[in-house]
Amino acid sequence: MSFSPLIQQLIKSLRCLPGVGPKSAQRMALYLLEHDRPAALELAASLHEAVERVGECASCRTLSEVSPCGICTSSSRDRSVLCVLESPVDMLAIEQTGGFGGYYFVLKGHLSPIDGVGPDDLGIDALVERLRGGEVREVILATNPTVEGEATAHYIAEQVRELGVRVSRIAHGVPVGGELEFIDGGTLAHALAGRRSLN
Amino acid sequence: MSFSPLIQQLIKSLRCLPGVGPKSAQRMALYLLEHDRPAALELAASLHEAVERVGECASCRTLSEVSPCGICTSSSRDRSVLCVLESPVDMLAIEQTGGFGGYYFVLKGHLSPIDGVGPDDLGIDALVERLRGGEVREVILATNPTVEGEATAHYIAEQVRELGVRVSRIAHGVPVGGELEFIDGGTLAHALAGRRSLN
């Protein structure tokens, strides 16, 4: 015996959520059915509406149901700096630091020839087009410090340099509050190679 | 800045799931919107259908869209034993052991005067009615070994004894594979008090 078909179907559907295994999905399904059916309906409606209406901002490519998005339409930001990111979550992470006042460009991924993801899929052509406008004076590459993220950063850096625009990469090193003892070798090597003079 | 309203709404809705905090909800929402919109729509449909159609089995009170449910309609089970449980998940857990061939009765909760949950809310009247039928010879109380679960078991045991039906409680003790060293005192006390003679 197991649950009735509709409950099993719900458990299976819940497993599409990242980090949800069979036991959690079962717990979630029964919790919703036993204790919170209005919330389940609200979730169904939110999922439906978000899937139907959320697209991407034509300017920065982040996820948004309005285009251009709130940040791209803001007039109080610095038009001369553009930060290039892999994903909308990274954009939120940087916004939450409150330390960046420029605009963003979201690649939604990284170059990955094996998966057939090329420059055009990441909108690098649109990025180059935007830089040709001449407003942007510096491009900050904030892709992830993974092999693919680095490759993507290098590729974009080359394109940007050709246009005569300044290009920089966010610093990689020991996290603030971290202890050297527990930092991996790759990060430590980066931290040493990227040391800053204090003179 | 944060996400656009629809994405924020989706993140908020996802938090109705047990064990999902703000960070996980954000990760889930963006994952679905970026990588798996068909799965999100399927989840929305499953939620909707399950909420609309899953009710309870008129016989055992478990969650099911058919009534009586698959177990209650099975003719190959032992009609003389009835296992009383707190929740449909417990029913699944017992079924998965493969060691029980009787029928079930799901209380969907435990007695809790503070929250206004009385015997009628748990269907104890329906349970007593069923026992009056005379088919059931033993009631196995498998409510959780919590204070409320024990109180509920005691209450039902009294009612069942009055009807002259045998009533038993599942054993509480040291879990199989557990090490005494790491077992809490309450469980150990239970294990000692409930010791079985080996003569």
Side-chain angles (χ1 to χ4, degrees):
Chain A
M1 172 270 180
S2 52
F3 293 110
S4 62
L6 281 182
I7 302 180
Q8 281 183 53
Q9 170 63 34
L10 175 57
I11 293 173
K12 197 180 132 261
S13 300
L14 281 164
R15 296 210 41 204
C16 74
L17 297 170
V20 175
K23 281 272 169 188
S24 319
Q26 182 178 303
R27 188 166 145 242
M28 288 172 171
L30 291 177
Y31 171 82
L32 290 177
L33 288 172
E34 282 190 275
H35 304 293
D36 208 349
R37 292 188 180 218
L41 285 181
E42 193 187 305
L43 174 56
S46 299
L47 280 165
H48 206 271
E49 207 180 2
V51 167
E52 293 295 314
R53 290 183 45 203
V54 172
E56 63 178 42
C57 168
S59 168
C60 71
R61 290 174 41 107
T62 193
L63 287 168
S64 171
E65 71 269 21
V66 286
S67 173
C69 70
I71 290 191
C72 289
T73 49
S74 158
S75 56
S76 57
R77 302 182 76 105
D78 181 359
R79 295 222 161 261
S80 68
V81 198
L82 188 72
C83 179
V84 177
L85 300 158
E86 281 189 37
S87 117
V89 214
D90 301 339
M91 184 164 160
L92 184 71
I94 291 192
E95 272 301 289
Q96 279 168 348
T97 67
F100 180 71
Y103 289 86
Y104 295 95
F105 188 88
V106 181
L107 301 169
K108 297 233 220 122
H110 44 239
L111 289 176
S112 176
I114 280 184
D115 305 314
V117 179
D120 290 2
D121 303 301
L122 302 182
I124 296 180
D125 43 348
L127 173 65
V128 168
E129 207 47 56
R130 179 153 167 192
L131 297 181
R132 285 223 169 85
E135 247 183 355
V136 178
R137 292 184 187 282
E138 178 174 1
V139 171
I140 301 174
L141 298 172
T143 52
N144 292 325
T146 56
V147 175
E148 297 90 346
E150 290 293 350
T152 310
H154 276 289
Y155 180 86
I156 298 175
E158 244 167 67
Q159 311 269 312
V160 176
R161 263 193 298 263
E162 276 175 26
L163 296 166
V165 175
R166 200 137 50 97
V167 57
S168 59
R169 179 92 174 102
I170 50 164
H172 296 131
V174 179
V176 177
E179 294 187 47
L180 286 201
E181 186 182 350
F182 303 114
I183 306 291
D184 68 290
T187 303
L188 267 185
H190 256 294
L192 281 170
R195 66 192 181 276
R196 286 167 55 188
S197 163
L198 296 176
N199 292 126
Chain B
M1 172 269 179
S2 53
F3 293 109
S4 62
L6 281 183
I7 303 181
Q8 282 183 52
Q9 169 62 35
L10 176 57
I11 292 172
K12 196 179 133 263
S13 301
L14 281 164
R15 295 212 39 203
C16 73
L17 297 170
V20 174
K23 280 272 170 190
S24 318
Q26 183 178 302
R27 189 168 145 241
M28 288 172 172
L30 291 178
Y31 171 82
L32 289 177
L33 289 172
E34 282 190 275
H35 303 294
D36 209 349
R37 293 188 178 216
L41 285 180
E42 194 186 304
L43 174 56
S46 299
L47 281 165
H48 206 269
E49 206 179 5
V51 167
E52 293 296 313
R53 291 183 47 204
V54 172
E56 66 179 41
C57 168
S59 169
C60 72
R61 288 172 44 105
T62 193
L63 287 168
S64 171
E65 70 269 19
V66 287
S67 174
C69 70
I71 290 190
C72 289
T73 48
S74 159
S75 56
S76 58
R77 302 182 76 105
D78 182 359
R79 294 222 161 262
S80 69
V81 198
L82 188 72
C83 179
V84 177
L85 300 159
E86 281 188 36
S87 117
V89 214
D90 302 338
M91 184 166 162
L92 184 71
I94 292 194
E95 272 300 290
Q96 279 169 348
T97 68
F100 179 71
Y103 289 87
Y104 295 94
F105 188 88
V106 181
L107 302 169
K108 297 233 218 121
H110 43 240
L111 290 176
S112 177
I114 279 185
D115 304 314
V117 179
D120 291 1
D121 302 301
L122 302 182
I124 296 179
D125 43 347
L127 173 64
V128 168
E129 208 47 57
R130 179 153 166 190
L131 297 180
R132 283 222 171 85
E135 249 183 355
V136 179
R137 293 182 186 284
E138 179 175 0
V139 171
I140 301 174
L141 299 172
T143 52
N144 291 327
T146 55
V147 175
E148 297 90 347
E150 290 291 350
T152 310
H154 276 289
Y155 180 87
I156 298 176
E158 245 167 65
Q159 311 269 312
V160 176
R161 263 194 297 265
E162 275 175 26
L163 295 167
V165 173
R166 201 138 49 98
V167 58
S168 59
R169 179 93 174 100
I170 50 164
H172 295 131
V174 180
V176 177
E179 292 187 50
L180 288 201
E181 187 181 352
F182 303 113
I183 307 291
D184 67 294
T187 304
L188 267 185
H190 255 292
L192 282 170
R195 67 190 179 278
R196 287 165 56 186
S197 162
L198 296 175
N199 293 127

